[in-house]
Amino acid sequence: MSHFLSAADLSRERAEHLFRVAAALKQGWKAGRRGAPLSGRTLALIFEKPSLRTRVTFEVGIVQLGGRAVHLSGSEIGLGTRESVPDAARNLSLWVDGIAARVYSHETVEGLARHATVPVINALSDFEHPCQALADFFTLWERGIDLGAMRLCWVGDGNNVCHSLILLGALLGTTIVVATPPGYEPEARVQQTVHKLGGRLTVTHDAREAATGADVIYTDVWTSMGQESERERRLEAFSRYQVNETLVAFARPSVLVMHCLPAHRGEEITDGVLDGPHSIALDQAENRLHAQKAVILDLLGGSLDDA
Ligand code: CP
Ligand code: NVA
């Protein structure tokens, strides 16, 4: 039984396998193949926080594989309030074949995985967003980029998306430079794991230094879901960490600009950059679907031959 709670749950081989499955599923779907490898299977989708991309891509993804989704809002099931996390996990396991959960606390998704007898997928927690990182590296891989030879620069908050990206980057051999304001670096335990995995990671407070020579510049919101009360303080702390035309000019001329979305336009990124020629944010969003279909197929034991 396996779960997908952290980017570090993958290995380089497993990530590359998922890239190949995602590419085959994407190509097959676009060519009109409509197999149903997960016919009769059900995925529960728990969302304690809002979502556009993750909810739609999980729901559409399982349906495209021949299964169905049951959506449960956080307030509806009250994880840890109306019912304990172990009880919810044990009950859900009686009826569904997998659980994808977007939660405030990473402990909640870990608790679900500990007590469920079906696979659990982290659909974003305060600590990680592994499905995003998988789709992001798939987006670079499918462009033929050598992930072990590229330099990725993260500018902004050392947050959940950053954690998953630097963990998967370490597994794939990517050189990563993270630029954050002092006090907003990726968590020390994540940096330690990256180094244990042999990852090439530098953390700096200088966005221009980080962007210099970058093949990819990645940013995300300065205020994540659940941090709204810190918004004013963060706006001030991050004001010199915007991905704008001036910063992009420090990178390689062929630089790709990435953003997981949703964007707070005019804060962490300008309209000109997000909508400009370097941006691949919509490719990332599209690939959430294909990458997650690969994860669901893998964890629920479906065969690519039937897709
Ligand atoms: N990138 C991402 O996870 O988007 P949503 O919050 O809309 O799901
Ligand atoms: N860091 C953001 C990512 C949203 C997809 C958040 O957690 O709100």
Side-chain angles (χ1 to χ4, degrees), residues 208-230:
R208 290 184 173 186
E209 178 195 311
T212 301
D215 299 295
V216 172
I217 296 179
Y218 200 127
T219 191
D220 181 19
V221 292
W222 295 337
T223 304
S224 285
M225 291 180 278
Q227 299 173 332
E228 289 77 8
S229 64
E230 301 172 23

Side-chain angles (χ1 to χ4, degrees), residues 96-146:
V96 303
D97 303 286
I99 301 168
R102 168 165 290 194
V103 297
Y104 280 99
S105 165
H106 191 69
E107 282 173 18
T108 303
V109 77
E110 286 184 330
L112 285 171
R114 240 187 338 270
H115 297 280
T117 55
V118 296
V120 174
I121 301 169
N122 178 0
L124 180 146
S125 68
D126 58 352
F127 186 53
E128 273 208 56
H129 196 2
C131 296
Q132 181 70 52
L134 185 72
D136 293 338
F137 276 107
F138 170 56
T139 303
L140 297 169
W141 175 89
E142 73 167 357
R143 297 174 82 96
I145 294 169
D146 181 351

Side-chain angles (χ1 to χ4, degrees), residues 271-302:
D271 285 336
V273 172
L274 187 57
D275 302 328
H278 297 287
S279 173
I280 56 166
L282 284 176
D283 296 335
Q284 296 172 253
E286 180 185 0
N287 281 335
R288 294 291 305 281
L289 174 65
H290 309 297
Q292 282 157 210
K293 280 173 74 176
V295 171
I296 301 169
L297 191 67
D298 199 52
L299 290 182
L300 270 58

Side-chain angles (χ1 to χ4, degrees), residues 227-244:
Q227 299 173 332
E228 289 77 8
S229 64
E230 301 172 23
R231 184 172 149 78
E232 291 311 314
R233 178 154 56 87
R234 285 174 168 267
L235 277 177
E236 202 179 310
F238 285 89
S239 62
R240 290 187 302 109
Y241 295 82
Q242 186 185 61
V243 175
N244 52 33

Side-chain angles (χ1 to χ4, degrees), residues 47 50-55 102 123-124 129 132 225 260-262 288:
F47 280 83
S51 169
L52 173 68
R53 279 147 292 274
T54 309
R55 170 159 181 198
R102 168 165 290 194
L124 180 146
H129 196 2
Q132 181 70 52
M225 291 180 278
C260 56
L261 303 176
R288 294 291 305 281

